[in-house]
Amino acid sequence: MMAEPTPQQPENAPKPHQAPGPQGSGNSPTAPTRGYRQELSIGTRPVDAPGAPISERQARDIATGRATWHRKASKPVSLWMFALFAVLMTHRWIPESLWLMVHMVTLGLITNSILVWSQHFTEALLKNKLPDSARPVQLVRIYTLNASIVVLMVGVIFNLYPLTLIGSTGVGLVVAWHGLALLQQMRSALPARFGTSIRYYIAASWLLPLGATFGALLAYDGTSATWHSRLLLAHEAVNVLGFVGITVVGTLMTLWPTMLRTVMLPDAVARSSRALVLMCAGLTLTVTGALMGNVPLATSGLILYAAALILVGVLMVGTTAAKKPSDYPTFSVAAGMVWLLVGVLWAAVLVLTQGLESLSLRPITPVFVAGFLAQVLLGAMSYLLPARMGGGPKAVRASNREFNRFSAGRVTMINLALLVFILPVNITGSWVRTAASLLGAFTLFAFIPLMLRGVKQSVAIRKAMIQARARGEAPVPDPEAQHPQPVPHLRHALIGALAVVLVVGLGVAADPAARARLAADGTGSAATGQTTTLTVEATADMRFTPNTAEVPAGNRLVIEVHNTDTKNAHDLTFANGTSTGRINPGETKTVEVGTITQDLEGWCSVMGHRAMGMTFQVTATGATSTQGTGGQQAGHTAAGQVLSPTDIDLQGDISANYQSRDAALAPVPEGENIDGRTVHRQTFEVQELTREIAPGTTLNAWTYKGSYMGPTLHGKVGDIFEITLVNKGSMGHSIDFHAGTVAPDQPMRTIAPGETLVYRFEAAASGIWLYHCSTMPMSTHLAAGMFGAVVIDPPDLPPVDREYLLVQSEVALTQAGNTPEGILTNISPEGLAAGTPTLTLWNGHATQYLRDPLTAKTGERVRIWVLNAGPGGDLSFHIVGSQFDTVYKEGGYLLQGGRDAFGTTKGASQALDLAPAQGGFVEMTFTEAGTYTFVNHDFAAAERGARGQIKVTD
């Protein structure tokens, strides 16, 4: 881009960037004197110097480095950070969320960073910068890596093994390609003092394909339990201790003293090399022992690896003798290396004590991911990014100032929060662990806004310097460089520690188990100091196995619940308020119930599951009293009382933003013509949403396509319907269309969250048909909103002036909370089973057709299709002031134009009676204008909502 032209100036004015001289001096701008260069002020551009004033846009582009390889290659790291934060905030609704978050760190953040920065350090250590022509190939590697990571994650989340295999293969091949590229660079360069680091970069890169292979085998459903445990240890050892650990230690050989701004110890290279050799030897023993099932060999490998880390730690501590850590990068990297050592030693203990067949590495996952990987990555980036952006000392200092804000406090909060999180749950309680994890996560993610601020500061200063230099201005001394302000690290660390203490205190105050322990002091059973730990399964047949436990009074109870149901989410909630929280299929969670002083009732709180038998009973053996926290009475209170119709104000106003459902039956859509057949296709997404069902009353509803009562399907005999069901809920759901005749095994099966099925049926017979969720308990799923109507027109159905559809359903409710407009409710399975509904609804709302009546004109012929969706209760459909001359019920006419099946004429009907799942239609003509009320003539049902109006005009 050409520079912008400068405005024309008067002939006798000084030229741009030329200091005005005394008149008559004889100095010509085109013929400077011999001493011109020596006399020129610092920063002033000579008139005869090449170049021109630089534009604002040019300065911005140069300052931001938009075209640099580093910026383009590092972009995926930033995107993965934002994606990780989004997943952390929504993980409870994402399948395999723990696996996803771990691998977003290990693959998305760490692997991308290693490819970028190992390339950077290789060029720096070899003093052999690659030409720009080599950068496109490196970018292809980076973006191919990220495409493979995404494919891998999609494959694992949606259980699509071919995608998992393709993704893991792609990741392994790209990183091996990177190692080969580093090897070629090393061979083409002169020998370097720090060539050892590069050799370990290459070796580490060639380890990842092996780790990716182990990961792909872990994801294969046919892998036996024995091999799964062995492969898991080998997979984590190769990837975390090998690929990442060796790369980190090889880099810290030179980076650690650089970060401290001091010199290396004289024997640092030799000592680091010995440690790297020991790390490789320990890794080899660990992986070999894991695959052979040899516990002593695997344990020995981990201990040898830990010994190597101790050598590295001694070297790092020795380096600090000359210059102490004083900023976030050095604090964070040092803490990360400590956690790496802790994690390796902890893994050795687990392998030695649990063996390989029953080995669980989940307890140490936070240590490796949050303690080691995240802290080393963020610490290194906090140092490297300002230095790489450059721009001179002033720009680097300004950027560092942002990256290092509250550095000691941040590191203190992260590490104390992690320490609290990894403590046994029977010590901390679930609320404390959750609070600590949130504090630690948000403190780690504080890096993102600080990074953005640091980049902004650096760009602004570099831009100003570029423009000033182009104008020929002398640099301005930086006061901060001359008189740096001391940072109160100790005070910041104390503030961070107090923040963790405060969060822990809030967690204890909010934890029902903690309150139960405090209340236990007033009961007859003293705390024993002992802990009873149980393992329970939540099964697909709606049972806890085992479903009872005897616990000595005064013992603390900790229960680990594993959800073996492949379709439904469950939980285990106790009458004292403690709960596992929602457990997705295949997941395991732990609940710290508290000190047991009385018998205690538990149950699955997912709607309907308790009514189906998912209960758990704790018996306190040796208790001196049967009354108190956790008794049967408390259990019933927790379950909630069924609301009566009088608890709902049906005379109240419907909320202004509620849009009444259009009762008009839409014409039969055209559909697709395939081989002469009409095919109707729709996608039903299952969502769990709050929906208004009466004035001041909203329901935690389960919906098809987002509405309480799903969409209406309309077709003709012989039409094909193809419905794609997508479960975006948090539990298993399904669908059953009465309008088709199909074997129920596959199309009506329950699908887990995230799964999809296609339900295809032919409308072989006319009538109005119910569809509903067939997942148990069906009454609960239907009452929660998972139902709708399919209308198949009888052949030669005569046209009418107006055609409406009304579907009756019942709900039994318990209050779940309050809203600004009224109350929030849940479906009560117990109320449905007892036949005590709270409301009876038309098309999903109790009073919508009182506010927004149906309309007709005198003399018009009106047809009203009616369906009783249930789940219980009969329907006697009646319109006050009108009679039906045509009545169609369950596939046949009872009356047609006043004529019955025997030919008798002049007949009429006052009501259409329908049992649950039955339907039909009625026709009438209104002779007079007025307001006509339609009701369920079971007046109890009408009084709890089953009524509406038709406004007839001339």
mmCIF file of all heavy atoms in Angstrom, residues 18-31:
data_model
loop_
_atom_site.group_PDB
_atom_site.id
_atom_site.type_symbol
_atom_site.label_atom_id
_atom_site.label_comp_id
_atom_site.label_asym_id
_atom_site.label_seq_id
_atom_site.Cartn_x
_atom_site.Cartn_y
_atom_site.Cartn_z
ATOM 1 N N GLN A 18 11.986 18.254 8.817
ATOM 2 C CA GLN A 18 13.212 19.052 8.743
ATOM 3 C C GLN A 18 13.104 20.190 9.746
ATOM 4 O O GLN A 18 12.130 20.943 9.726
ATOM 5 C CB GLN A 18 13.400 19.627 7.336
ATOM 6 C CG GLN A 18 14.569 20.610 7.253
ATOM 7 C CD GLN A 18 14.605 21.320 5.922
ATOM 8 O OE1 GLN A 18 13.850 20.997 5.021
ATOM 9 N NE2 GLN A 18 15.480 22.299 5.797
ATOM 10 N N ALA A 19 14.060 20.281 10.654
ATOM 11 C CA ALA A 19 14.034 21.373 11.628
ATOM 12 C C ALA A 19 14.347 22.682 10.927
ATOM 13 O O ALA A 19 15.275 22.772 10.126
ATOM 14 C CB ALA A 19 15.054 21.109 12.734
ATOM 15 N N PRO A 20 13.565 23.735 11.194
ATOM 16 C CA PRO A 20 13.830 25.022 10.526
ATOM 17 C C PRO A 20 15.150 25.619 11.000
ATOM 18 O O PRO A 20 15.431 25.663 12.197
ATOM 19 C CB PRO A 20 12.632 25.873 10.930
ATOM 20 C CG PRO A 20 12.127 25.254 12.192
ATOM 21 C CD PRO A 20 12.427 23.814 12.105
ATOM 22 N N GLY A 21 15.971 26.067 10.064
ATOM 23 C CA GLY A 21 17.249 26.690 10.403
ATOM 24 C C GLY A 21 17.164 28.196 10.315
ATOM 25 O O GLY A 21 16.203 28.751 9.801
ATOM 26 N N PRO A 22 18.197 28.892 10.796
ATOM 27 C CA PRO A 22 18.193 30.362 10.729
ATOM 28 C C PRO A 22 18.233 30.848 9.295
ATOM 29 O O PRO A 22 18.865 30.221 8.446
ATOM 30 C CB PRO A 22 19.456 30.740 11.496
ATOM 31 C CG PRO A 22 20.318 29.531 11.444
ATOM 32 C CD PRO A 22 19.415 28.365 11.415
ATOM 33 N N GLN A 23 17.529 31.924 9.033
ATOM 34 C CA GLN A 23 17.476 32.451 7.675
ATOM 35 C C GLN A 23 18.865 32.885 7.236
ATOM 36 O O GLN A 23 19.647 33.424 7.992
ATOM 37 C CB GLN A 23 16.501 33.633 7.606
ATOM 38 C CG GLN A 23 15.095 33.193 7.864
ATOM 39 C CD GLN A 23 14.116 34.145 7.208
ATOM 40 O OE1 GLN A 23 14.506 35.089 6.542
ATOM 41 N NE2 GLN A 23 12.847 33.881 7.390
ATOM 42 N N GLY A 24 19.098 32.579 5.988
ATOM 43 C CA GLY A 24 20.390 32.942 5.429
ATOM 44 C C GLY A 24 21.508 32.024 5.845
ATOM 45 O O GLY A 24 22.661 32.324 5.649
ATOM 46 N N SER A 25 21.186 30.900 6.437
ATOM 47 C CA SER A 25 22.237 29.979 6.859
ATOM 48 C C SER A 25 22.934 29.340 5.702
ATOM 49 O O SER A 25 24.033 28.838 5.825
ATOM 50 C CB SER A 25 21.653 28.903 7.767
ATOM 51 O OG SER A 25 20.726 28.134 7.037
ATOM 52 N N GLY A 26 22.224 29.294 4.578
ATOM 53 C CA GLY A 26 22.846 28.691 3.409
ATOM 54 C C GLY A 26 22.724 27.206 3.362
ATOM 55 O O GLY A 26 23.192 26.584 2.423
ATOM 56 N N ASN A 27 22.141 26.595 4.381
ATOM 57 C CA ASN A 27 21.989 25.141 4.356
ATOM 58 C C ASN A 27 20.889 24.757 3.388
ATOM 59 O O ASN A 27 19.777 25.259 3.461
ATOM 60 C CB ASN A 27 21.648 24.618 5.741
ATOM 61 C CG ASN A 27 22.838 24.738 6.676
ATOM 62 O OD1 ASN A 27 23.969 24.836 6.215
ATOM 63 N ND2 ASN A 27 22.574 24.763 7.963
ATOM 64 N N SER A 28 21.211 23.896 2.510
ATOM 65 C CA SER A 28 20.217 23.414 1.541
ATOM 66 C C SER A 28 19.725 22.056 1.961
ATOM 67 O O SER A 28 20.518 21.197 2.322
ATOM 68 C CB SER A 28 20.838 23.342 0.143
ATOM 69 O OG SER A 28 19.976 22.631 -0.722
ATOM 70 N N PRO A 29 18.410 21.840 1.915
ATOM 71 C CA PRO A 29 17.905 20.525 2.292
ATOM 72 C C PRO A 29 18.402 19.439 1.382
ATOM 73 O O PRO A 29 18.412 18.275 1.736
ATOM 74 C CB PRO A 29 16.390 20.695 2.199
ATOM 75 C CG PRO A 29 16.168 21.888 1.327
ATOM 76 C CD PRO A 29 17.332 22.765 1.524
ATOM 77 N N THR A 30 18.823 19.785 0.178
ATOM 78 C CA THR A 30 19.294 18.751 -0.745
ATOM 79 C C THR A 30 20.803 18.570 -0.667
ATOM 80 O O THR A 30 21.356 17.678 -1.285
ATOM 81 C CB THR A 30 18.915 19.115 -2.187
ATOM 82 O OG1 THR A 30 19.459 20.384 -2.495
ATOM 83 C CG2 THR A 30 17.396 19.152 -2.326
ATOM 84 N N ALA A 31 21.480 19.434 0.078
ATOM 85 C CA ALA A 31 22.933 19.328 0.181
ATOM 86 C C ALA A 31 23.348 19.542 1.616
ATOM 87 O O ALA A 31 23.815 20.601 2.019
ATOM 88 C CB ALA A 31 23.622 20.365 -0.727
#
